[in-house]
Amino acid sequence: MARTVTIMAPSGAAAVSSARDELASRLARGRTPITIDIGTIGMPDLPMLQVICAAHKRAIDRGVDLCVLGDGQHMTAYVAEEAGFADDASCGIAGAVCPWAQRATARPESEA
Amino acid sequence: MSEYDALIGAFVEEAGELLDQLQDSLLELEQCPEDPECVDRVFRCLHTIKGCAAMFGFDEISSFAHDIENAYQDVRAGRLAVTPSLVDTTLRAGDTIRTVISDVAEHREVSVPQLELDTAGRYGAVSQQVDREAAGSRDGQLRRFRIEYRPSASGFASGLDIAPVIEQLRLVGRCRVLLHTEDVPAVDLLDPIECHVWWEIVIDTDGGEDAVHDALLFADDAHVSVEEMDADTSEFAAIAPATNATEEIVQAPLPSVAAASSGTASLRVSPAKLDELVDLVGELVTAQARLTEIASASDDPLIVPVAEDIERLTSSLRDSVLDIRMVPIGHLFGKYTRVVRDLSGQLGKRARLEVEGGETELDKGVIDRIADPLVHLVRNAVDHGLETPEDREAAGKPPVGRVRLAAYQSAGEVVIEVEDDGAGLNRDAILRCAVERGIVAEETELTSEQIAELLFAPGFSTAECVTRVSGRGVGLDAVRRVVEDLRGTLTIGDGRMGGTLSRIRIPLTLAIIEGLLVAVGPDRYIIPLDAVEECIDLVAHDTRGGGNVVDLRGKPVPYVRLRRCFDIAGEAPEHEIAVLARVLGEQVGFVVDNVVGQHQTVIKTLGAARADRVGVSGATILGDGTVALILDVIRLARDGDGARERDGGRGCV
């Protein structure tokens, strides 16, 4: 099994900036698969969702596997039904599989 | 404060602001009853009040607001006209909500019967006008609409949330939502506070296009478009290919990045916390003054530069903290629109309030305390300044009178003017009344300004005089006292609009001022520096006839000896100093033994025992721990050098 980096994704402006920096840094450094854990997000947070989307775009570009982990009733309803994520057509990148569409619901062991 | 109290406090504050917005919007609507944007604003306010009350668990208030909101839903649908009666009813409904919220704030039980009574008695009349059965906007046909919802780049900063929008749309019909992320850059190029996403929503509804637009009413800070699709078109079939969609987005007139980065994100802080902060800064300023004094005395090369740094930082901190307390006066001005409207209605007059300089900033503490005197002046302008529509037309004026409320900053002070375009001061009547009241002798010759000044004489405002001189003196002495307690001045005279002009000048802040520290015998006094013009050696100038007048470059300037004023024992030095200050437009000297220097003055109120001390407006603690009194230069100048006891109150100005 490939080593993975799990990044916790809390919400809040400072946390979003921090998550963005962390993801950008990880994606610049290598090709280690990245798992983003959204289980810690208490409330749906559009800026954080946008950061994840942006990370996925760079991950595709660099050939890095990136997936979203964790689930919750609020997040599922919000992301899929209200925010309108989880549609492979939305980002316009041919062949991309939206991480929301394939996100895992179990928490794997994380390692930095 | 308990968590519950904090919650209630947040609700009371937010609801109060919403009710203010509602009132402003209603008054605007009254002027423009056909303006759909005004109607929408009123509807939005009511809807938000309803939602806010429901969110905090005040279902009675929410339900009440919901009933009124329904009326405006009918207005928007064209089933109900905006009439003065509807606006009036809604204004009173807003008052009712305000009263109930006040009960909430005071932890009193919310009076549900009162609300029900009001609903039946006030809003009930509105309800009868509504023919809900005649609505007929729903044609029963299922139609499909495509909505593009494009938030501005600063959308995140203003709390963008798609959920309420979708929630409203789902009340109208079946929705499918698609997020467009084509424009989201890769993470290393992303500014996380900028919004790059937009939504496409397809809705099937039998409510018609209006219902869709209504549901999007709260889509603020976003570009929204609605277009009808062929009902047979498959969902999202209207989505352009990704590349084309991207081009469209690029061309869309979204706000610039600069606009986004200068978003209006703000933080709500309770006034009590700000007061505490100002108090702490005040203590810091006092401690810093002590440090500076110690450093000067020690002349230690290690301490002196540190003390200087602390002084500089304290000064910057003081300015920053005082700046935080500055708020635009426009919010206060907005409240007077209702005063003018209601009062003119009661008096059978027609009046319009014109506001200028609402962006002028003033310390929040000053604004709170100036509110009541301003109400008095505005009421006077409507009640006694403006004529009836008939009299105005007879005088060749428009039937609607003007009351101008203006604010502007002028050299460390804020000037607030209340002006009307009425008939102006009737000086003959004022003088006659003053003579009858024994305020001035019959043969006294007074200038135009001195006659206007009579309005502030205690006892001038009797019922008889009110009738005969258009009531110009009603409570003005009390109003002036409040203004002077704020270290301000109030004058009345002729305005540029042909009527009467009341002008208040008040300092920007009440917390910390720059002062000139002076010594008289063993005592220290502070003279507000913004009033000081120059200091002169008294013996080097001629005094006229031994009186309290100094000849300053050929010009006579009256002066006050603080030693006599405050009965300070001991002989005055041979060389005294006169600090010349500008008070009420006139130059006045304050004679002291010595000028110590400039001093950052943290204003402390005097205790009850010394609160009525004439000529003193407060106190401050000096670096050595002693107390210096802050001079009330206006009252000192007016009362003169101890003359208030000796010759009946003749002053310098």
Side-chain angles (χ1 to χ4, degrees):
Chain A
M1 187 176 175
R3 286 168 55 84
T4 63
V5 173
T6 299
I7 293 175
M8 310 296 274
S11 55
V16 168
S17 287
S18 164
R20 175 250 177 225
D21 293 345
E22 174 70 12
L23 284 164
S25 164
R26 294 283 181 186
L27 285 162
R29 280 207 298 255
R31 302 187 61 180
T32 307
I34 293 175
T35 299
I36 301 173
D37 186 350
I38 61 165
T40 53
I41 299 181
M43 293 291 288
D45 186 324
L46 280 172
M48 178 55 78
L49 298 181
Q50 182 176 265
V51 164
I52 294 170
C53 185
H56 185 231
K57 285 193 172 183
R58 181 56 80 216
I60 293 170
D61 183 43
R62 294 187 58 82
V64 175
D65 288 336
L66 182 145
C67 70
V68 175
L69 166 80
D71 202 1
Q73 205 172 357
H74 291 306
M75 283 301 293
T76 305
Y78 185 83
V79 170
E81 296 168 22
E82 294 181 355
F85 275 84
D87 189 305
D88 289 354
S90 70
C91 74
I93 300 175
V97 179
C98 180
W100 295 106
Q102 57 156 7
R103 74 183 177 281
T105 54
R107 287 180 176 225
E109 290 176 18
S110 62
E111 52 186 298
Chain B
M1 183 189 282
S2 71
E3 198 172 319
Y4 179 75
D5 284 341
L7 199 68
I8 296 293
F11 168 66
V12 169
E13 192 173 340
E14 188 162 346
E17 287 175 9
L18 288 168
L19 286 168
D20 287 346
Q21 286 173 24
L22 174 66
Q23 181 171 294
D24 292 347
S25 303
L26 282 166
L27 294 169
E28 205 176 328
L29 179 63
E30 193 172 40
Q31 300 302 317
C32 317
E34 303 294 327
D35 186 346
E37 286 185 14
C38 282
V39 175
D40 284 352
R41 272 199 294 278
V42 170
F43 182 79
R44 264 202 299 263
C45 284
L46 288 164
H47 186 84
T48 314
I49 289 167
K50 178 183 81 172
C52 182
M55 190 172 75
F56 284 92
F58 298 110
D59 294 338
E60 298 91 343
I61 300 173
S62 177
S63 168
F64 184 64
H66 178 72
D67 286 346
I68 314 160
E69 181 194 0
N70 278 343
Y72 283 86
Q73 180 67 2
D74 290 327
V75 170
R76 295 170 70 222
R79 297 189 292 270
L80 183 66
V82 174
T83 61
S85 162
L86 176 64
V87 173
D88 202 49
T89 301
T90 316
L91 281 169
R92 282 187 279 118
D95 293 343
T96 300
I97 295 175
R98 207 183 283 274
T99 305
V100 174
I101 288 172
S102 164
D103 289 343
V104 169
E106 300 294 327
H107 296 281
R108 290 192 291 265
E109 195 176 337
V110 174
S111 175
V112 179
Q114 176 74 24
L115 276 174
E116 286 174 347
L117 181 67
D118 281 342
T119 306
R122 294 179 178 175
Y123 178 64
V126 178
S127 298
Q128 287 166 12
Q129 299 172 50
V130 182
D131 182 7
R132 294 176 194 282
E133 297 304 317
S137 66
R138 290 178 181 259
D139 53 19
Q141 287 183 334
L142 198 65
R143 296 161 70 187
R144 176 166 292 176
F145 295 93
R146 175 177 173 273
I147 301 160
E148 277 191 20
Y149 180 86
R150 296 173 182 264
S152 73
S154 61
F156 291 159
S158 53
L160 168 70
D161 190 359
I162 188 73
V165 178
I166 303 298
E167 184 190 342
Q168 289 293 318
L169 285 169
R170 288 210 165 111
L171 296 175
V172 175
R174 193 172 78 91
C175 297
R176 276 81 61 212
V177 185
L178 177 65
L179 176 77
H180 283 260
T181 55
E182 302 94 327
D183 257 10
V184 176
V187 69
D188 45 308
L189 304 174
L190 176 74
D191 179 346
I193 66 163
E194 267 185 43
C195 177
H196 299 278
V197 298
W198 62 281
W199 284 267
E200 183 180 19
I201 302 153
V202 174
I203 181 169
D204 293 326
T205 176
D206 62 356
E209 189 168 346
D210 284 350
V212 175
H213 281 290
D214 288 352
L216 292 164
L217 190 67
F218 296 92
D220 287 337
D221 202 15
H223 173 76
V224 180
S225 66
V226 178
E227 62 174 294
E228 186 163 6
M229 301 163 64
D230 187 337
D232 297 329
T233 309
S234 60
E235 291 180 7
F236 300 118
I239 301 174
T243 49
N244 291 345
T246 306
E247 284 168 15
E248 280 179 19
I249 294 166
V250 171
Q251 290 162 10
L254 290 175
S256 67
V257 174
S261 59
S262 62
T264 55
S266 59
L267 188 65
R268 192 183 289 259
V269 180
S270 78
K273 284 186 179 173
L274 275 184
D275 289 344
E276 193 181 333
L277 186 60
V278 170
D279 284 347
L280 286 172
V281 169
E283 297 299 326
L284 182 65
V285 168
T286 305
Q288 171 264 315
R290 215 162 49 235
L291 175 64
T292 302
E293 202 159 298
I294 291 168
S296 302
S298 71
D299 211 20
D300 185 328
L302 290 176
I303 293 179
V304 170
V306 175
E308 285 171 357
D309 280 352
I310 298 284
E311 185 175 356
R312 182 175 47 77
L313 290 169
T314 306
S315 179
S316 300
L317 180 64
R318 177 202 64 177
D319 291 346
S320 298
V321 168
L322 292 181
D323 193 48
I324 291 172
R325 284 174 57 96
M326 303 297 276
V327 291
I329 202 169
H331 183 65
L332 175 67
F333 280 3
K335 296 179 194 295
Y336 299 123
T337 309
R338 177 82 184 272
V339 172
V340 169
R341 174 195 181 274
D342 289 356
L343 187 62
S344 57
Q346 287 166 21
L347 296 169
K349 295 181 179 179
R350 295 177 64 190
R352 182 177 70 241
L353 182 72
E354 297 171 2
V355 171
E356 293 172 18
E359 71 285 354
T360 307
E361 290 188 327
L362 200 54
D363 186 285
K364 189 185 180 306
V366 179
I367 285 189
D368 290 345
R369 290 168 65 183
I370 203 70
D372 286 345
L374 267 183
V375 168
H376 204 108
L377 296 176
V378 170
R379 288 182 65 88
N380 264 4
V382 178
D383 192 1
H384 309 300
L386 296 181
E387 313 93 325
T388 61
E390 298 77 31
D391 288 347
R392 289 181 63 85
E393 284 184 322
K397 295 179 179 178
V400 180
R402 294 164 62 200
V403 176
R404 191 180 69 93
L405 192 51
Y408 56 92
Q409 200 170 327
S410 170
E413 290 179 320
V414 166
V415 181
I416 304 172
E417 295 178 344
V418 182
E419 185 178 6
D420 61 66
D421 71 343
L425 294 173
N426 183 343
R427 288 188 167 75
D428 289 341
I430 293 170
L431 188 56
R432 201 164 49 245
C433 183
V435 171
E436 285 172 11
R437 293 285 148 197
I439 296 169
V440 290
E442 192 163 357
E443 304 301 320
T444 312
E445 286 194 8
L446 296 172
T447 63
S448 174
E449 289 77 17
Q450 286 169 326
I451 294 173
E453 191 66 18
L454 291 172
L455 294 169
F456 296 105
F460 184 83
S461 312
T462 66
E464 188 185 352
C465 289
V466 167
T467 307
R468 295 181 56 185
V469 300
S470 302
R472 273 288 164 196
V474 179
L476 280 176
D477 54 333
V479 175
R480 177 178 263 181
R481 261 199 308 279
V482 175
V483 174
E484 289 183 352
D485 283 345
L486 293 167
R487 294 190 295 113
T489 60
L490 167 62
T491 53
I492 287 190
D494 300 320
R496 294 178 294 269
M497 289 157 47
T500 308
L501 170 67
S502 304
R503 181 178 285 135
I504 292 174
R505 305 181 82 95
I506 38 179
L508 284 169
T509 181
L510 299 178
I512 303 173
I513 59 167
E514 287 291 345
L516 187 68
L517 182 63
V518 297
V520 183
D523 295 343
R524 300 286 181 273
Y525 296 91
I526 295 284
I527 301 175
L529 197 63
D530 52 18
V532 175
E533 293 193 330
E534 63 180 302
C535 300
I536 58 170
D537 190 347
L538 197 59
V539 295
H541 293 75
D542 290 336
T543 53
R544 297 193 168 191
N548 289 349
V549 176
V550 63
D551 188 341
L552 178 69
R553 298 183 285 273
K555 181 187 162 198
V557 176
Y559 62 80
V560 176
R561 285 183 185 277
L562 296 188
R563 180 176 290 279
R564 287 175 60 193
C565 233
F566 296 113
D567 294 326
I568 297 166
E571 286 296 313
E574 187 180 347
H575 295 279
E576 290 178 296
I577 304 228
V579 178
L580 301 184
R582 180 70 55 181
V583 182
L584 298 173
E586 302 289 335
Q587 213 170 23
V588 180
F590 297 96
V591 178
V592 301
D593 292 358
N594 188 24
V595 173
V596 180
Q598 200 169 323
H599 186 264
Q600 276 192 61
T601 306
V602 181
I603 301 174
K604 305 277 185 190
T605 50
L606 291 169
R610 307 184 76 176
D612 58 347
R613 185 161 180 178
V614 176
V616 173
S617 63
T620 191
I621 300 168
L622 301 178
D624 61 3
T626 58
V627 172
L629 297 175
I630 301 166
L631 296 185
D632 180 348
V633 290
I634 296 168
R635 287 189 192 170
L636 272 177
R638 187 179 295 139
D639 290 346
D641 180 352
R644 60 193 176 280
E645 286 98 16
R646 285 186 286 279
D647 64 6
R650 177 177 52 81
C652 298
V653 293

